[in-house]
Amino acid sequence: MEIPQSWKNQLASEVEKSYFLNLMQCVEKAYASENTNVFPSKELMFNAFEKCTFEATKVIVLGQDPYPTIGHANGLCFSVDALLKKLPKSLINIFKELQEDIKGSILSSGNLEPWAEQGVLLLNSALSVEEGKPGSHAYFGWEYFTDAVIERLSSEKENLVFILWGAHAQSKTRFIDGTKHLILKAPHPSPLAAYRGFFGSKPFSKTNHYLNQHGLTEIQW
């Protein structure tokens, strides 16, 4: 349960702040509890940072918190374990939009690691959750940490694509410099909101067009 070195270098002052130390204590206590399950598994908590270094990051997809269902969360937002057969509805809708946006493009499973390995940071606002209780760890201090991650990416890099689905993700816009990055906003892909503008928003092709314009390698979605 440790932040990879490439990110630790960027967030050195952040991880020394009192809120972060308190956050880690809260998380340790939650994982140690015999009365609750916490997802993802402890070793996957910083998986988004493991699979996508700071230097490699080109695209940021922001989720809210991990899936609170056993066998689902793998530390990457919207992503699930490769062996899971019944995909979460939000992920099904993401794949539907992907197929409409970029014809013939589909992953072999719900595990989005192939995206992360190409420079897509699949970041949740909170990196842990209690089983069956969405948002249960959001107030541990995770929001402060992930806000700092977004702000650092925005200030230190150029020509990033921030994909913000839903009101919660879009509240992070204030940490992003829209003059040097592309911000793509749409409703959340959940069944409750997807038909209000998520479908047809074409985030995947828009991302690749922007990357191509700036001489960066497109993502093979």
Side-chain angles (χ1 to χ4, degrees), residues 137-199:
H137 289 185
Y139 301 103
F140 278 10
W142 279 126
E143 294 280 353
Y144 298 118
F145 174 68
T146 51
D147 286 352
V149 170
I150 294 166
E151 198 164 27
R152 186 71 178 173
L153 284 164
S154 176
S155 65
E156 296 301 310
K157 296 176 75 75
E158 293 183 352
N159 305 322
L160 296 174
V161 181
F162 290 85
I163 299 176
L164 309 179
W165 292 327
H168 185 270
Q170 289 165 23
S171 71
K172 308 294 188 185
T173 304
R174 66 189 186 278
F175 300 110
I176 305 166
D177 184 348
T179 66
K180 63 174 183 172
H181 304 294
L182 176 64
I183 303 173
L184 297 177
K185 298 180 183 180
H188 195 276
S190 72
L192 295 174
Y195 288 95
R196 298 177 190 160
F198 173 77
F199 289 131

Side-chain angles (χ1 to χ4, degrees), residues 44 67 71-74 79-85 87 109-112:
L44 292 177
Y67 294 117
H72 283 203
N74 67 358
S79 177
V80 294
D81 186 87
L83 298 177
L84 192 70
K85 300 302 181 187
L87 301 183
S109 78
N111 189 339
L112 304 182

Side-chain angles (χ1 to χ4, degrees), residues 55-59 157-161 207-219:
E55 293 76 15
T57 300
K58 297 187 289 188
V59 180
K157 296 176 75 75
E158 293 183 352
N159 305 322
L160 296 174
V161 181
T207 294
N208 279 351
H209 178 70
Y210 181 83
L211 294 175
N212 190 45
Q213 276 186 318
H214 292 87
L216 299 168
T217 306
E218 296 181 355
I219 305 299

Side-chain angles (χ1 to χ4, degrees), residues 13-25 140:
S13 61
E14 201 66 26
V15 299
E16 292 175 358
K17 292 180 179 178
S18 59
Y19 89 82
F20 187 82
L21 301 177
N22 291 335
L23 163 63
M24 289 297 98
Q25 288 179 353
F140 278 10

